[in-house]
Amino acid sequence: MDSEALRKYSALHPKPAGLTLQYGTAGFRSKAEQLDHIVFRMGLLAVLRSKAVTATIGIMVTASHNPEEDNGVKLVDPLGEMLHPSWEEYATQLANAEEQELQKVITEICQKAAVNLHKDASVFIGRDTRPSSKKLSQSVIDGIQVLGGQYHDYGLVTTPQLHYMVCCQNTQGQYGKATLEGYYEKLSKAFMELIKQSHCSGESQRHLKIDCANGIGALKLSEMKPYFPQEVLIHIYNDGTKEKLNHLCGADFVKVHQKPPGGLDMKPNERCCSFDGDADRIVYYYKDTAGHFHLIDGDKIATLISIFLKELLAKVKQNFKMAVVQTAYANGNSTRYLQETLKVPVHCVKTGVKHLHHKAQEFDVGVYFEANGHGTVLFSKAAETKIRQLVKEENDNEKREAAKMLENTIDLINQTVGDAVSDMLVIEAILALKGLTVQQWDALYADLPNRLLKVQVADRRVIDTTDAERRALTPPGLQEKIDALVKKYKLSRAFVRPSGTEDVVRIYAEADTQENADALAHEVSLAVFHLAGGKGAPPQP
């Protein structure tokens, strides 16, 4: 390690006094002007991680659905998954080290993680369309070069595209070609093969309006357009040429406010969807003839995909284990429908993509989606191998056709991470194959009315939870109070959990009517305020 170069470059990316940030599920996120030293140091960390695992590591500069003035950075592990939890700790240590301790902290990480500094290192870099992203990715490069790493800068890409590139690179091309063209070709080919198998003569041309959150999704969808067949007519809105990123648009806005984005005119019964700022989440929606807005969130997307996969798995007659993984935020009626009507096992885990992804890996076919629209499907190595073998060798027509559909689905889904473009194509293919309209999809089950609230507290750590965040262990008396409140309403449940990023407690409640869901959420928020050290004025109904 060249101490002189490290000292010189570190001085060019100084850490503001008194600033401490934590590496969370989404990496680091903050106001863009506070991140220069952080991204430089994540360049250093990516080199160390690459040397430790002898593989290419990814670095993505993005703050996803946050406002345009924010930014962030996250690392991508060798198979396109999130950074290993033990390294999240190293990331936090390195980010918060004072300038003069930097070399010492790097040496400590090398000792703890058995990093051989003489090994080669390779890092892939991507960034979103924020005004601050280009300069920040330059600082990443400074960090990589100080420790003698090699890098490839992909420039403007969606977050899932970078995850995909890293996985392709480290599987020596088995997962695909580590180029944008490779990504577009693989997805479009699988999509065309799938819809070729659709026998319904429904809408021969399928129109879809897409709100791209004024972000990177618009650029990449436009690049991909020439790869699509004529039957797919996608209309891009909020393409970033006029308005600010994520401002009154995007998947997060639509989900939170339960209303259509600005910049997109909806006619009755038109299929519309929204990506988020870095295109790793998607939600669908439509307006009915009476003008009512209907949101189709991650739970309903998971349900549609599960119906499709379950039918195909039944046809190939293999003993594959399939399950759906949700969090406590999943609508109670989606869980009921999956378990009781579809007879698919459902598992609940803590909030955060890494927990869902980890659990989904336990099954031959693991479907996971957060209600916010982030999700994908994972296929075990054994299941994938068997399916590809059936396509080649199965004599029974029906079995072989079903195996072929599964194979195309495997190639169409981005198994590394939730991917709005890939998920959209999967959904569009399923709707075409099953001849379903957006209204029929929506009608699978009715969502229970629900309400999300948050309460500011002096210290979020006073709340400790168990049972995948569905029960509160501390402060004493809080869970008993919630249980008593829930008993007052029909089909109701409620839970509280500390935010991962700020001193607030998040509250979720659902019940048989919106009025009851709102009342329950309010009563629970008062309980939190009084028992968990609320700040400011008590919550108002």
Side-chain angles (χ1 to χ4, degrees):
M1 179 165 39
D2 182 343
S3 327
E4 196 38 53
L6 182 65
R7 222 185 359 260
K8 194 180 107 186
Y9 271 93
S10 179
L12 295 174
H13 304 285
K15 171 182 175 294
L19 179 72
T20 53
L21 290 172
Q22 180 109 24
Y23 194 101
T25 306
F28 290 107
R29 293 235 180 120
S30 185
K31 291 272 169 272
E33 59 272 16
Q34 296 182 328
L35 286 171
D36 184 59
H37 70 294
I38 299 265
V39 293
F40 166 72
R41 293 170 182 202
M42 287 310 100
L44 301 172
L45 191 76
V47 170
L48 300 181
R49 180 70 178 149
S50 175
K51 288 173 190 273
V53 293
T54 335
T56 296
I57 295 296
I59 283 203
M60 185 71 197
V61 175
T62 181
S64 188
H65 56 276
N66 281 34
E68 188 169 271
E69 47 281 5
D70 291 0
N71 218 323
V73 60
K74 53 183 171 187
L75 272 68
V76 179
D77 252 359
L79 292 177
E81 70 277 62
M82 304 207 155
L83 182 64
H84 192 276
S86 62
W87 280 72
E88 288 185 5
E89 225 165 288
Y90 301 149
T92 301
Q93 283 164 9
L94 195 57
N96 296 320
E98 292 308 326
E99 216 105 338
Q100 61 280 9
E101 298 172 340
L102 206 51
Q103 185 161 354
K104 187 172 121 262
V105 173
I106 290 173
T107 309
E108 278 170 14
I109 293 170
C110 289
Q111 283 164 349
K112 279 190 210 150
V115 178
N116 178 353
L117 281 173
H118 301 295
K119 283 202 167 153
D120 288 340
S122 146
V123 183
F124 282 0
I125 310 164
R127 66 173 193 269
D128 71 9
T129 54
R130 289 164 198 271
S132 57
S133 292
K134 192 166 175 31
K135 188 170 172 294
L136 288 173
S137 68
Q138 199 47 59
S139 304
V140 170
I141 292 170
D142 282 355
I144 296 167
Q145 288 182 314
V146 170
L147 291 183
Q150 298 293 311
Y151 69 90
H152 180 83
D153 184 3
Y154 281 93
L156 292 164
V157 286
T158 69
T159 296
Q161 284 175 334
L162 186 77
H163 284 255
Y164 175 91
M165 304 301 173
V166 171
C167 183
C168 291
Q169 182 69 11
N170 290 316
T171 55
Q172 284 70 53
Q174 266 181 295
Y175 193 65
K177 283 211 296 276
T179 62
L180 277 173
E181 293 70 39
Y183 171 91
Y184 298 142
E185 278 163 10
K186 180 180 172 181
L187 266 63
S188 56
K189 181 172 171 284
F191 177 71
M192 297 206 307
E193 288 292 319
L194 251 185
I195 59 170
K196 225 166 44 191
Q197 291 167 280
S198 110
H199 305 298
C200 73
S201 57
E203 309 165 57
S204 55
Q205 293 204 314
R206 297 183 65 79
H207 287 270
L208 175 66
K209 289 185 168 178
I210 306 166
D211 151 36
C212 288
N214 289 311
I216 185 72
L219 277 180
K220 299 296 133 182
L221 261 188
S222 305
E223 282 176 14
M224 197 173 179
K225 258 188 165 175
Y227 294 85
F228 289 138
Q230 276 76 34
E231 300 86 52
V232 181
L233 287 178
I234 56 173
H235 308 277
I236 297 174
Y237 294 83
N238 297 325
D239 63 0
T241 51
K242 298 184 199 66
E243 292 288 337
K244 273 173 74 166
L245 175 70
N246 295 326
H247 181 60
L248 304 180
C249 62
D252 196 61
F253 172 84
V254 173
K255 169 76 181 151
V256 171
H257 296 280
Q258 308 265 334
K259 64 179 188 190
L264 183 150
D265 56 315
M266 289 170 69
K267 298 196 174 59
N269 296 335
E270 275 186 335
R271 234 178 25 265
C272 305
C273 68
S274 284
F275 293 2
D276 72 333
D278 64 340
D280 65 358
R281 296 183 186 182
I282 184 171
V283 294
Y284 270 72
Y285 44 91
Y286 68 96
K287 255 188 190 156
D288 62 26
T289 40
H292 295 301
F293 175 78
H294 295 255
L295 175 72
I296 300 179
D297 64 4
D299 300 335
K300 235 169 220 177
I301 293 173
T303 306
L304 178 73
I305 293 174
S306 300
I307 291 171
F308 178 67
L309 292 175
K310 188 170 188 237
E311 284 175 8
L312 293 177
L313 291 172
K315 283 180 185 165
V316 296
K317 298 185 172 60
Q318 300 297 314
N319 236 343
F320 291 140
K321 269 174 65 186
M322 174 178 164
V324 176
V325 187
Q326 297 184 323
T327 70
Y329 286 110
N331 196 280
N333 276 355
S334 76
T335 314
R336 249 176 231 116
Y337 181 86
L338 286 162
Q339 285 174 325
E340 294 166 17
T341 308
L342 263 195
K343 306 275 188 279
V344 171
V346 177
H347 298 266
C348 185
V349 297
K350 279 168 69 171
T351 305
V353 176
K354 60 184 174 190
H355 303 298
L356 291 136
H357 194 90
H358 189 71
K359 186 72 184 173
Q361 286 172 321
E362 293 175 20
F363 309 98
D364 290 311
V365 181
V367 180
Y368 76 80
F369 270 83
E370 289 188 295
N372 64 27
H374 186 288
T376 186
V377 184
L378 304 184
F379 293 85
S380 71
K381 213 63 236 119
E384 185 175 330
T385 307
K386 185 72 197 160
I387 287 164
R388 294 196 193 276
Q389 186 193 341
L390 286 171
V391 173
K392 288 196 184 78
E393 298 167 10
E394 180 55 56
N395 293 323
D396 178 79
N397 266 351
E398 192 190 24
K399 253 187 178 177
R400 193 179 59 251
E401 280 292 295
K404 185 131 188 55
M405 277 195 184
L406 283 168
E407 181 178 51
N408 287 321
T409 307
I410 291 171
D411 289 335
L412 184 52
I413 205 104
N414 186 342
Q415 291 187 60
T416 64
V417 71
D419 181 338
V421 175
S422 154
D423 290 340
M424 173 190 88
L425 292 173
V426 170
I427 292 162
E428 289 300 304
I430 295 173
L431 294 176
L433 284 162
K434 296 187 71 61
L436 286 175
T437 63
V438 68
Q439 299 80 351
Q440 289 168 315
W441 172 20
D442 186 34
L444 288 172
Y445 61 82
D447 276 321
L448 278 174
N450 55 83
R451 178 63 62 209
L452 284 160
L453 293 176
K454 53 186 182 182
V455 174
Q456 282 205 309
V457 290
D459 181 1
R460 65 179 183 268
R461 288 169 303 190
V462 300
I463 300 238
D464 190 23
T465 64
T466 183
D467 186 23
E469 301 177 315
R470 290 176 289 191
R471 317 249 334 138
L473 290 170
T474 61
L478 178 60
Q479 188 56 51
E480 291 74 9
K481 182 75 181 145
I482 294 171
D483 290 342
L485 291 170
V486 164
K487 283 204 179 93
K488 291 166 52 179
Y489 302 98
K490 281 200 194 108
L491 297 174
S492 64
R493 67 185 181 102
F495 67 89
V496 302
R497 54 179 285 272
S499 157
T501 47
E502 48 186 335
D503 279 321
V504 301
V505 175
R506 301 190 187 283
I507 291 150
Y508 177 88
E510 61 184 33
D512 57 343
T513 66
Q514 191 61 56
E515 205 179 342
N516 287 345
D518 290 348
L520 177 56
H522 175 63
E523 288 168 340
V524 171
S525 72
L526 282 174
V528 168
F529 184 86
H530 293 302
L531 294 169
K535 268 173 68 177
Q540 295 303 308

